[in-house]
Amino acid sequence: MEETISLKELLLTLKKRVALIIAITLTAVIISGAVSFFLLTPIYQSTTQLLVSQSKDEQQLYNYNEVQTNLQLINTYNVIIKSPAILDLVAKEIGLDITAQQLNEKITVGSEADSQVLNISVQDEDPQTAADIANTTATVFSKEIVNLMNVDNVSILSKATVTDGQSPIKPQPLLNIAIALVVGLMAGVGLAFLLEYLDNTVKNEQDIEKTLGIPVLGIISVIDESKMEDASSRRAARNSNIRGESVGS
């Protein structure tokens, strides 16, 4: 026999477990808010832009495929910027006691779509340090590329700056709380249905019909013992009065 679950039963299940769902959701939101505001370290980002342009000799040499050459050149520069040859000099110039690999993890290099502009983005716990790393990397690269590739076609388009009240890019507490709210709500609803599925106790006549597959012919009402005691007391009092009247007559 196939079992069907109506929308009413689903709503009743949610209503019965609403306290559990709310508790799980609130717990997830509180934990997410506490972690986002008090435990996670704010990370700031600064970006410096470089402009890559070809010299006249290069334009004559690659005139037949200038667009493809620009793309290959920019891809090459992306790799060179994050190489130890550049980052070791950056760390030394700023005075950072970190390796090129550690500095590499802070830097992201990308190019604007269909352009010759390179973005050097740096993430750090201190906004000023992030700006210094970005600007120093751009300066060192524009100088060293002359020796590495014998070209002088890189110029700094815009430098990274630190603004008053600069906001960190992560964590984002409101976003984390919103995600925790949705996840907590889903977890609460899922747990409510799971507990309902695992609960095989018989609670009413509808459960008996479902379990046994036979109709219920009658039910036995719940007997309240306190009411029975009150009724017995009243009967005893009446009997006592009747016996007293009989003796009196």
Side-chain angles (χ1 to χ4, degrees), residues 41-45 106 122-130 168:
T41 303
I43 301 297
Y44 298 87
Q45 177 173 291
K106 297 175 178 287
V122 179
Q123 295 183 5
D124 193 84
E125 299 175 4
D126 180 55
Q128 186 61 56
T129 301

Side-chain angles (χ1 to χ4, degrees), residues 106-192:
K106 297 175 178 287
I107 299 175
T108 301
V109 181
S111 57
E112 297 289 345
D114 300 326
S115 73
Q116 296 174 243
V117 177
L118 281 175
N119 294 324
I120 301 177
S121 300
V122 179
Q123 295 183 5
D124 193 84
E125 299 175 4
D126 180 55
Q128 186 61 56
T129 301
D132 291 342
I133 293 175
N135 290 330
T136 304
T137 301
T139 302
V140 171
F141 171 72
S142 61
K143 293 179 180 178
E144 291 299 317
I145 197 65
V146 178
N147 300 324
L148 292 174
M149 296 187 64
N150 197 26
V151 292
D152 187 9
N153 61 345
V154 177
S155 57
I156 298 176
L157 189 62
S158 64
K159 291 186 176 182
T161 58
V162 180
T163 59
D164 294 335
Q166 182 174 338
S167 301
I169 61 167
K170 58 183 179 182
Q172 297 178 314
L174 295 181
L175 178 60
N176 293 343
I177 290 174
I179 294 174
L181 176 65
V182 175
V183 173
L185 189 60
M186 293 174 60
V189 172
L191 183 59

Side-chain angles (χ1 to χ4, degrees), residues 14 44 46-47 95 109 124 133 149 219 228-229 237 246:
L14 294 178
Y44 298 87
S46 293
T47 301
V109 181
D124 193 84
I133 293 175
M149 296 187 64
I219 60 175
M228 290 183 61
E229 292 177 357
S246 298

